[in-house]
């Protein structure tokens, strides 16, 4: 990671099905890298830079599958997997899931979606849709939740999660995706595995499927406030086009089957790969459980 141009590394499988160490690079011409580490083959992948920067400036149209537009304003209670944002920012991320702590229900997303990269105060309004999708305007009726807790992002020490929750205002948020998605997620998380098929619904690319390609990844992630290093991460590649784009931050990644078991919380990516926090680490850090089936 000290070599300029190296963006991350993790554990994967080679074409022959044998374990490899995968090194992600910003570009193709990175010198001084080994071919093996402790006898394990090393493979290189040009990933480009990983970032967790939200869209800003002007609204855009979403892509992906399904007929519903996740950037729209939805009737209350709103589904998961759609546009949200902090009232003080003209930006937008994704409402990942409804979660519970005791008798209180919250929305789950990223720190950089709900809490302005450590800058927000508890109680700030969370809007649906995010202001990026309304030409930066909003009304008090757009608020669906109040920021309650954010795990700080460190720019000097290793991180494991980029996560935050906001207490839901009565009757404002449902537990299921739109009809274009997988419905209600499972309540019980599962561990990620290389080759596992996954899906997500997000604000920008709507509902997409992908495959977990790398585990236990260490990656450098660009934020507007600097570069933060994350360890123990999950790397996903899309099946038909990109699995995610800017604005999908906060999406819940679940298994691509009827169980829709939670696997990861999407928070960053590049042109070719998506990075997710292991969902159990997210839930443990916040002391919540998925409000699912």
């Amino acid at each position: 990671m000290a070599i300029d141009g190296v963006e991350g590394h993790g554990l994967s499988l080679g074409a022959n099905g044998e374990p490899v160490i995968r090194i992600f690079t910003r570009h193709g011409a990175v010198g001084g890298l080994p071919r093996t580490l402790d006898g394990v083959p090393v493979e290189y992948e040009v990933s480009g830079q990983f970032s967790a920067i939200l869209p800003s400036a002007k609204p855009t149209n979403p892509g992906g599958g399904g007929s519903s537009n996740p950037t729209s304003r939805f009737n209350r209670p709103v589904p998961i997997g759609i546009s949200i944002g902090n009232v003080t920012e003209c930006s937008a991320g994704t409402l990942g899931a409804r979660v519970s702590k005791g008798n209180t229900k919250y929305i789950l997303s990223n720190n950089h979606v709900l809490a302005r990269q450590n800058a927000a105060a508890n109680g700030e309004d969370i809007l649906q849709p995010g202001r990026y999708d309304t030409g930066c305007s909003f009304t008090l009726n757009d608020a669906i939740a109040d920021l309650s807790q954010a795990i700080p992002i460190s720019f000097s020490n290793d991180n494991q999660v980029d996560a935050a929750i906001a207490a839901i205002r009565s009757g404002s948020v449902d537990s299921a995706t739109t009809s274009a998605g997988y419905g209600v997620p499972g309540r019980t998380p599962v561990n990620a595995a290389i080759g596992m098929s996954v899906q997500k619904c997000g604000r920008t690319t709507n509902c997409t499927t992908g495959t977990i390609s790398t585990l236990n990844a260490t990656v450098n992630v660009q934020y507007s406030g600097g570069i933060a290093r994350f360890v123990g991460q999950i790397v996903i590649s899309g099946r038909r086009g990109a699995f995610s784009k800017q604005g999908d931050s906060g999406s819940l990644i679940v298994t691509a089957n009827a169980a829709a078991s939670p696997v990861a919380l999407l928070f960053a990516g590049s042109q070719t790969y998506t990075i997710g926090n292991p969902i159990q680490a997210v839930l443990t850090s916040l002391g919540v459980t998925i409000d699912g089936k």
Side-chain angles (χ1 to χ4, degrees):
M1 296 295 291
I3 297 175
D4 184 51
V6 173
E7 298 298 318
H9 59 78
L11 305 178
S12 189
L13 295 177
N16 60 0
E18 294 297 317
V20 298
I21 295 171
R22 179 157 291 155
I23 295 180
F24 298 101
T25 63
R26 193 180 317 149
H27 46 73
V30 178
L33 298 177
R35 292 298 173 187
T36 63
L37 285 171
D38 293 335
V40 180
V42 174
E43 292 187 356
Y44 302 95
E45 191 81 33
V46 179
S47 62
Q49 189 175 49
F50 298 113
S51 91
I53 299 172
L54 296 175
S56 59
K58 62 180 181 179
T60 186
N61 294 321
S67 57
S68 62
N69 184 339
T71 67
S72 301
R73 187 185 194 279
F74 286 80
N75 292 330
R76 277 49 176 163
V78 304
I80 63 175
I82 61 171
S83 170
I84 57 170
N86 186 292
V87 68
T88 68
E89 291 184 315
C90 186
S91 64
T94 296
L95 195 171
R98 197 170 73 179
V99 297
S100 300
K101 182 190 296 189
N103 295 324
T104 305
K105 296 191 185 302
Y106 304 83
I107 61 174
L108 173 66
S109 190
N110 299 137
N111 175 316
H112 77 272
V113 173
L114 299 181
R116 300 189 284 121
Q117 293 183 38
N118 305 333
N122 284 348
E124 290 185 1
D125 290 349
I126 305 303
L127 309 180
Q128 196 292 307
R131 290 173 56 193
Y132 179 82
D133 296 317
T134 63
C136 295
S137 65
F138 70 97
T139 70
L140 294 178
N141 290 332
D142 291 336
I144 60 169
D146 303 286
L147 180 65
S148 303
Q149 181 184 359
I151 306 303
I153 299 168
S154 173
F155 293 94
S156 57
N157 298 308
D158 290 347
N159 299 272
Q160 193 172 14
V161 302
D162 176 345
I165 53 175
I168 295 171
R169 298 188 181 184
S170 179
S172 292
V173 180
D174 199 359
S175 60
T177 65
T178 67
S179 58
Y182 53 81
V184 179
R187 186 182 300 272
T188 305
V190 297
N191 292 326
I194 295 172
M196 176 185 282
S197 297
V198 293
Q199 59 184 327
K200 73 98 186 70
C201 292
R203 172 252 169 221
T204 306
T205 57
N206 211 332
C207 301
T208 58
T209 58
T211 303
I212 294 175
S213 64
T214 306
L215 299 176
N216 197 30
T218 296
V219 292
N220 287 334
V221 177
Q222 179 71 57
Y223 287 82
S224 59
I227 294 176
R229 180 168 295 177
F230 284 78
V231 299
Q233 303 301 293
I234 298 167
V235 182
I236 301 105
S237 57
R239 285 188 174 173
R240 290 180 290 274
F243 183 67
S244 69
K245 293 182 179 179
Q246 287 185 355
D248 287 327
S249 287
S251 301
L252 183 67
I253 300 171
V254 302
T255 55
N257 55 26
S261 301
V263 178
L265 183 67
L266 193 158
F267 82 104
S270 68
Q271 292 292 330
T272 52
Y273 288 102
T274 293
I275 311 296
N277 307 144
I279 194 61
Q280 188 58 66
V282 171
L283 300 178
T284 299
S285 67
L286 292 165
V288 298
T289 57
I290 297 288
D291 189 20
K293 58 189 178 185

